[in-house]
Amino acid sequence: MNLYGLIGFPLTHSFSKRYFTDKFIREKIRESSYELFEMSSLEGLPALLKKKTDLKGLNVTIPYKTEVISYLDDLDDASAERIGAVNTIKIYADGSTKGFNTDYYGFRQSLEEWMDKRGEKCSNFSALVLGNGGAAKAVQVALQDMHMDYKLVSRQQSDDSMMYEELTEEVMNSYLLIINTTPLGMFPKVEECPNLPYQFVTKKHYLYDLVYNPAETLFLKHGIEKGAAVQNGLKMLELQAEKAWEIWTQEENLWSV
């Protein structure tokens, strides 16, 4: 049996298990299964790898995308090394591990497809990136590679980010793409949303939420009320999942955007 799985905390509502289980059935992929390995501390990862000798790959979610790096034997130069965060681990026959980041691919591809369908070019936009966690790291590198100007927005004061209180009407008019990389609004806490001045959102704005459950978060609802274009994170998740599968099942360490 080829075993794959997801580590993180909490894992009460996992996209990955449902996605890969359906994929195995749909594509008639035999002797493969996908499990959830909820762990309150990454100290449990070495024991998991030792116990589950049939593990071929893991996905990594909140809050371990950055912390997990110190537990791995190697990092993929083109993705995880550049980004400083891991969401996919490949486990080799000798038990060694290598970290990759497929969030980059999923986000970039989904954003480019969304903009293209609306007759827009990504390079014409400046973006506000809400949050500074592991997902935000992948988003930043993708925006850099797409030659898009962006600004980080965080609840804490820092040299490389703005605070939500600094988002004036002028700032909001200058950054028409707003990307939520935080878990705010994710089920079951659907009443939460980033603390933006939504009164300054217009029909010219694009709101992209990495959250996929619910499909329409409060963040996106506020955008819809103002006539903005909106997209949730489902397409990104599907794309990053397929890239993870490609990494797990290929003999060579091929990486291509």
Side-chain angles (χ1 to χ4, degrees):
M1 178 68 72
N2 294 322
L3 178 62
Y4 307 90
L6 174 69
I7 59 172
F9 187 84
L11 298 179
T12 49
H13 296 276
S14 166
F15 161 89
S16 298
K17 180 174 174 62
R18 184 169 66 253
Y19 183 85
F20 280 106
T21 299
D22 290 346
K23 176 182 175 67
F24 295 156
I25 295 171
R26 182 177 64 252
E27 299 180 14
K28 296 180 174 59
I29 299 171
R30 298 178 180 178
E31 297 183 351
S32 296
S33 66
Y34 194 100
E35 295 182 16
L36 301 181
F37 301 107
E38 187 173 270
M39 50 182 66
S40 57
S41 168
L42 271 180
E43 292 178 3
L45 180 57
L48 173 67
L49 295 174
K50 188 174 181 180
K51 180 181 179 181
K52 300 287 187 178
T53 56
D54 50 353
L55 261 175
K56 300 295 188 293
L58 288 168
N59 290 126
V60 184
T61 189
I62 295 170
Y64 298 136
K65 293 184 179 184
T66 302
E67 185 183 347
V68 76
I69 290 174
S70 63
Y71 288 82
L72 304 177
D73 297 311
D74 194 13
L75 291 179
D76 175 64
D77 293 339
S79 61
E81 182 74 41
R82 290 179 64 209
I83 293 164
V86 166
N87 78 317
T88 299
I89 301 171
K90 182 166 183 172
I91 303 164
Y92 296 92
D94 63 359
S96 62
T97 55
K98 187 171 186 177
F100 295 79
N101 191 303
T102 66
D103 280 337
Y104 169 99
Y105 172 81
F107 170 74
R108 179 172 179 174
Q109 186 72 17
S110 62
L111 179 62
E112 289 179 332
E113 288 179 5
W114 182 37
M115 289 292 189
D116 186 60
K117 285 180 181 178
R118 298 189 63 87
E120 298 284 0
K121 291 184 178 180
C122 292
S123 56
N124 292 338
F125 284 80
S126 294
L128 293 176
V129 179
L130 313 181
N132 56 6
K137 293 178 185 296
V139 167
Q140 289 177 74
V141 174
L143 294 177
Q144 291 167 15
D145 288 352
M146 288 187 284
H147 308 290
M148 292 180 65
D149 178 44
Y150 70 90
K151 191 72 177 177
L152 288 176
V153 183
S154 175
R155 289 176 295 180
Q156 283 82 37
Q157 185 78 48
S158 71
D159 294 336
D160 59 354
S161 68
M162 302 177 65
M163 296 184 69
Y164 285 91
E165 292 77 12
E166 299 177 78
L167 297 177
T168 63
E169 182 174 7
E170 182 180 359
V171 171
M172 294 290 285
N173 287 337
S174 299
Y175 294 86
L176 297 181
L177 173 61
I178 306 175
I179 305 159
N180 177 38
T181 73
T182 79
L184 290 171
M186 183 184 296
F187 186 87
K189 298 181 179 181
V190 297
E191 73 287 350
E192 297 180 347
C193 67
N195 187 29
L196 293 176
Y198 292 99
Q199 68 270 26
F200 301 138
V201 174
T202 69
K203 293 179 180 180
K204 295 181 180 180
H205 281 90
Y206 283 66
L207 271 58
Y208 187 122
D209 201 335
L210 268 60
V211 173
Y212 66 93
N213 183 17
E216 195 174 282
T217 60
L218 186 55
F219 167 70
L220 295 184
K221 286 179 180 179
H222 284 316
I224 292 170
E225 289 172 359
K226 296 295 184 178
V230 302
Q231 173 156 295
N232 66 29
L234 183 59
K235 183 64 174 180
M236 171 183 169
L237 276 168
E238 292 172 346
L239 288 166
Q240 67 84 18
E242 287 301 322
K243 179 61 74 172
W245 180 249
E246 181 182 324
I247 290 168
W248 291 334
T249 55
Q250 284 187 351
E251 290 300 318
E252 298 180 20
N253 291 325
L254 298 180
W255 177 268
S256 60
V257 173

